[in-house]
Amino acid sequence: MVSVASVQQLLTPAFTVDIQKVENNARRMIERCQALGVQLRPHMKTHKTLECADIMTGGSRRCIVVSTLAEAHFYADRGFDDILYAYPLPFDKVDVCAELVECLEMFHVLIDSEAALAELTKRQLKDGKSWLVWLKVDCSNGRVGVRPEDPAALILAKSIADCKGVELAGVYAHCGNSYQATGVKEIQAVAQETTTATLGFMEKCSADDDWFLPDGRHCCTSANASHRLVGMTQEHGKIEPTSGKLDFDKFPLGSLISLIPYHVSALVWQCANSCYSKKVLLPTQEGDCTLDLLIGYS
């Protein structure tokens, strides 16, 4: 962080924040949720700072959402609690999630499949704790989650509620399809559609007598040279074959796929640990060649 007398003295490009506007917006949101009688759970993934987290939680340092386990550890290590890891449970991260559950008062995970639920049941938690699980529903976003109108969604919700050592903590939906909206009215329409679908699904869950809910292409893959990553956000990657259809039998749920970035910026931004690679195969117009490469980032 630099200290200057005026914005004009900053070396550009520079990222600036109007703290007063941030505080005003956060206070309005907190007050609105209080008036509606609902719990606000702000997301940390965009700013990733303690300062904004304190502002958005009103100084409580509780009830937040993160998209990565690195974010979860960052906030947990600095006194935050009641953290929701809002990404469909990666099977190889169950032990890491369990450690967070065991060291915090409340750490929540997100699932959208029976397979993920089965992975949780394999890991018994210490001190009699239960997994706090949110069910991810897909309200026309088309990325992850179960469709709320699909009978399988209600079956999965009941499986979570009936599972020993697991509690159904809530239902989670994301209006990602609003990103393509061209105006406020379209955004509001998406929000209303998502809200209606989510609340309708919760009503179905609560109606059961036995259980209820509480009040751009930049890299290829090492899995196969004929596959490529055609889109990516912070949490999601979209892989498709260069021709034909993707064979899901070769890549079952939970598969680990390595990505080879064309541009090193993507690697440096997304990896917090040092990465090393030797004898990288590079395709060229004249044929394949190998390059000794050492990449480090800390």
Side-chain angles (χ1 to χ4, degrees):
M1 182 179 295
V2 297
S3 177
V4 295
S6 67
V7 173
Q8 286 72 25
Q9 294 178 342
L10 288 172
L11 182 65
T12 58
F15 178 71
T16 63
V17 178
D18 188 325
I19 294 296
Q20 190 60 59
K21 286 186 178 180
V22 173
E23 291 176 344
N24 291 343
N25 290 339
R27 184 171 57 253
R28 287 174 56 197
M29 183 63 74
I30 291 171
E31 291 173 352
R32 178 168 176 75
C33 288
Q34 289 173 342
L36 293 171
V38 297
Q39 176 64 59
L40 175 65
R41 187 178 288 273
H43 215 310
M44 303 292 110
K45 75 172 185 178
T46 301
H47 58 83
K48 296 182 177 65
T49 65
L50 293 176
E51 292 82 358
C52 280
D54 278 329
I55 293 171
M56 295 170 77
T57 61
S60 70
R61 293 202 164 190
R62 292 187 61 85
C63 207
I64 63 173
V65 185
V66 298
S67 285
T68 69
L69 290 175
E71 293 169 7
H73 278 292
F74 174 80
Y75 288 106
D77 291 345
R78 290 160 179 80
F80 284 76
D81 210 315
D82 193 355
I83 300 172
L84 168 59
Y85 175 34
Y87 183 87
L89 179 73
F91 297 172
D92 63 333
K93 305 294 191 302
V94 173
D95 285 339
V96 179
C97 290
E99 292 171 0
L100 285 163
V101 173
E102 291 164 351
C103 74
L104 294 174
E105 183 179 338
M106 300 178 73
F107 181 77
H108 312 251
V109 296
L110 188 80
I111 71 171
D112 62 359
S113 69
E114 294 279 358
L117 178 59
E119 291 296 320
L120 287 180
T121 60
K122 295 177 184 177
R123 178 57 160 84
Q124 187 174 356
L125 299 171
K126 299 177 182 178
D127 302 323
K129 280 196 167 185
S130 297
W131 287 101
L132 300 177
V133 174
W134 292 60
L135 174 59
K136 177 63 182 288
V137 293
D138 173 19
C139 301
S140 302
N141 190 20
R143 295 200 304 193
V144 294
V146 289
R147 294 288 299 175
E149 70 275 11
D150 188 338
L154 196 59
I155 294 173
L156 177 56
K158 192 173 190 327
S159 295
I160 298 170
D162 291 343
C163 189
K164 184 179 179 181
V166 176
E167 294 180 17
L168 180 57
V171 173
Y172 190 95
H174 172 54
C175 300
N177 45 326
S178 65
Y179 298 159
Q180 285 75 43
T182 57
V184 174
K185 289 186 176 180
E186 287 187 22
I187 294 173
Q188 292 174 336
V190 171
Q192 185 60 59
E193 178 185 352
T194 302
T195 302
T196 301
T198 303
L199 293 178
F201 177 68
M202 292 181 67
E203 288 178 3
K204 291 180 183 178
C205 294
S206 301
D208 194 293
D209 292 333
D210 299 324
W211 58 283
F212 61 94
L213 281 166
D215 273 54
R217 194 171 113 182
H218 71 257
C219 67
C220 60
T221 76
S222 64
N224 191 306
S226 63
H227 293 76
R228 65 188 182 191
L229 184 70
V230 296
M232 176 175 278
T233 64
Q234 176 173 290
E235 306 93 353
H236 305 279
K238 183 178 179 181
I239 293 174
E240 68 179 24
T242 54
S243 63
K245 295 183 177 181
L246 183 64
D247 186 354
F248 288 99
D249 291 334
K250 292 183 178 179
F251 306 103
L253 194 64
S255 297
L256 180 65
I257 299 177
S258 298
L259 302 178
I260 305 171
Y262 291 154
H263 199 296
V264 73
S265 294
L267 178 66
V268 171
W269 180 250
Q270 296 172 53
C271 298
N273 300 319
S274 297
C275 304
Y276 303 94
S277 178
K278 291 189 68 177
K279 299 294 183 183
V280 177
L281 183 65
L282 299 176
T284 69
Q285 291 183 344
E286 292 75 25
D288 292 342
C289 67
T290 58
L291 172 68
D292 286 322
L293 179 66
L294 174 62
I295 300 174
Y297 175 69
S298 58

